[in-house]
Amino acid sequence: MSVPSALEFHWQSLARLPSGRVYHSLAEVGGQMYMLGGCDAAGRPSPALELYSPEGDQWLSLPPMPTPRAGAAVAVLGKQILVVGGVGEDQRPLKVVEVYNTEEGRWRKRCALREALMGVAVTVKDGRALAVGGMGSDLLPRSILQQYDLRKNVWALLPPMPTPRYDATAHLLGNKIYVAGGRQCKRTLKVFEVFDSETRSWSTLPNMPCKRSYGGVFWDSSGRLCLLGGLRKGGGHQSSKFTKNVNIFDTNQGLWLKSEDTVAMKTKRADFASSFLRGRMVVAGGLGHQPSVLDTVEAFHPQKRKWERLAPMAMARCSASSIVIRDRLLVVGGVNQVPSSAHEILYVKEECL
């Protein structure tokens, strides 16, 4: 399958956020992007809920969340946005759960988590949200797997993960939930486990090739887990180092591709935006060995088997939130010395915005 050339990708700056924001959450409902919470320049969690209107290229303020929070996990259940955990105004994990109905335009408090958690990973299966792991108020990781039924407004416990952790990546593929990486206190993990919803059991998969944090993590259209860049944990007393390595797990073969079957990125970087867009792995911005944050962008060409430079972002930043909607990558907020209000979209020139 042919993919767009590097010259066909184009950045466009869109309406800036009402204020600089970082650690906010993005959700898509009906092709529209919602932005929830996050931290302002003073580090305060925000209750803000905003909708981006592409027709008028503007942000619309909607009823705020009842609970200010940053770093929340979000799941879209039909026309409703479920908001789980995160960090509250006292800088501690939250147990309160809230739902925003996009048709009614109002919030409702729902059945709370069994305990306050941050760093929860969430995915959706058969209209139910599945929340994996998290860190409790005691700063210890959890192995909990819980399922939320919106209609009944109840959380049900499922068999726990073998490895407690928070800030992991969870992805649903068929009847299986893959959970990769994460952290235990300050220690990064390379554990990779999968939950089979039919047998209701966990299995351990081959470990990730290396411990890394702040890397790019996504699944491609072939159901392969892609890990890119990040900070690679040094051995012994060695400090962590930026890496440009790429690791890919093939779920069909049940193994990680050999290093000779992958191609490293051009630039070592961490804390960047990443996605699988129009058949190409794309990375944008982040931090590297340079003295300032990055604006550089690159994409992998599968036929040429090489990374190519794309046009840079207009605003260099790291810690940005990103989402792909209708084959377009939106990069929202982030940090460039202070929280950024930048909002840009990467698309292919042949398309009409």
Side-chain angles (χ1 to χ4, degrees), residues 312-327:
M313 294 192 294
M315 179 63 70
R317 53 211 151 113
C318 62
S319 300
S321 295
S322 62
I323 189 171
V324 174
I325 299 178
R326 295 175 178 169
D327 282 337

Side-chain angles (χ1 to χ4, degrees), residues 83-115:
V83 185
V84 180
V87 176
E89 291 179 299
D90 59 359
Q91 302 299 312
R92 296 179 65 81
L94 295 167
K95 67 184 299 184
V96 63
V97 173
E98 293 157 348
V99 169
Y100 180 74
N101 189 311
T102 61
E103 292 183 325
E104 298 177 359
R106 64 174 179 170
W107 287 94
R108 287 189 178 90
K109 286 196 174 184
R110 310 302 287 172
C111 180
L113 296 171
R114 292 174 180 268
E115 64 171 318

Side-chain angles (χ1 to χ4, degrees), residues 40 74 77 153 189 211 260 263 265 281 347:
D40 61 17
V74 298
L77 304 174
N153 187 30
L189 302 175
K211 295 179 180 180
E260 55 264 32
V263 181
M265 299 184 297
M281 293 186 284
Y347 67 102

Side-chain angles (χ1 to χ4, degrees), residues 53-352:
S53 170
E55 293 79 14
D57 187 27
Q58 61 182 333
W59 289 93
L60 306 176
S61 294
L62 301 177
M65 292 187 290
T67 307
R69 63 179 90 202
V74 298
V76 175
L77 304 174
K79 297 293 185 180
Q80 304 192 63
I81 303 173
L82 178 75
V83 185
V84 180
V87 176
E89 291 179 299
D90 59 359
Q91 302 299 312
R92 296 179 65 81
L94 295 167
K95 67 184 299 184
V96 63
V97 173
E98 293 157 348
V99 169
Y100 180 74
N101 189 311
T102 61
E103 292 183 325
E104 298 177 359
R106 64 174 179 170
W107 287 94
R108 287 189 178 90
K109 286 196 174 184
R110 310 302 287 172
C111 180
L113 296 171
R114 292 174 180 268
E115 64 171 318
L117 293 172
M118 61 175 287
V120 178
V122 171
T123 188
V124 176
K125 184 180 187 303
D126 298 332
R128 296 179 175 88
L130 292 130
V132 186
M135 182 174 73
S137 297
D138 57 4
L139 306 184
L140 295 177
R142 300 295 193 263
S143 59
I144 189 170
L145 171 61
Q146 46 196 325
Q147 177 178 272
Y148 179 71
D149 188 312
L150 180 65
R151 185 176 59 84
K152 297 179 180 178
N153 187 30
V154 294
W155 287 95
L157 288 178
L158 298 176
M161 286 188 295
T163 307
R165 51 187 142 159
Y166 65 94
D167 283 348
T169 298
H171 180 78
L172 176 71
L173 196 61
N175 291 312
K176 296 182 177 180
I177 302 168
Y178 292 83
V179 184
R183 303 174 70 87
Q184 289 181 339
C185 300
K186 295 182 179 180
R187 186 165 64 96
T188 56
L189 302 175
K190 55 181 182 179
V191 177
F192 191 22
E193 296 163 341
V194 60
F195 178 74
D196 189 316
S197 61
E198 291 188 337
T199 63
R200 295 171 65 89
S201 62
W202 286 91
S203 300
T204 299
L205 298 172
N207 277 351
M208 295 158 51
C210 67
K211 295 179 180 180
R212 71 175 85 199
S213 56
Y214 304 106
V217 184
F218 57 83
W219 292 74
D220 68 14
S221 58
S222 300
R224 303 187 307 173
L225 171 63
C226 305
L227 307 177
L228 299 85
L231 279 173
R232 186 169 181 171
K233 181 69 175 177
H237 297 289
Q238 295 180 339
S239 60
S240 297
K241 296 181 179 180
F242 292 104
T243 180
K244 58 182 179 180
N245 288 352
V246 173
N247 299 121
I248 297 176
F249 183 83
D250 189 321
T251 53
N252 293 319
Q253 300 182 58
L255 51 78
W256 293 93
L257 300 189
K258 297 178 180 179
S259 57
E260 55 264 32
D261 294 327
T262 62
V263 181
M265 299 184 297
K266 288 180 174 292
T267 303
K268 295 180 179 181
R269 66 178 82 207
D271 204 12
F272 50 89
S274 64
S275 73
F276 187 73
L277 186 67
R278 295 291 297 270
R280 304 188 65 167
M281 293 186 284
V282 176
V283 298
L287 294 168
H289 290 299
Q290 296 77 2
S292 58
V293 294
L294 302 173
D295 64 358
T296 57
V297 183
E298 52 187 290
F300 181 70
H301 196 297
Q303 281 82 43
K304 297 180 181 179
R305 288 191 53 77
K306 69 175 185 178
W307 287 86
E308 298 176 326
R309 296 284 188 196
L310 303 187
M313 294 192 294
M315 179 63 70
R317 53 211 151 113
C318 62
S319 300
S321 295
S322 62
I323 189 171
V324 174
I325 299 178
R326 295 175 178 169
D327 282 337
R328 298 161 174 85
L329 172 64
L330 294 106
V331 182
V332 185
V335 174
N336 187 338
Q337 297 185 333
V338 297
S340 173
S341 61
H343 174 206
E344 299 175 63
I345 186 170
L346 178 65
Y347 67 102
V348 174
K349 285 184 179 179
E350 65 189 21
E351 300 174 354
C352 295

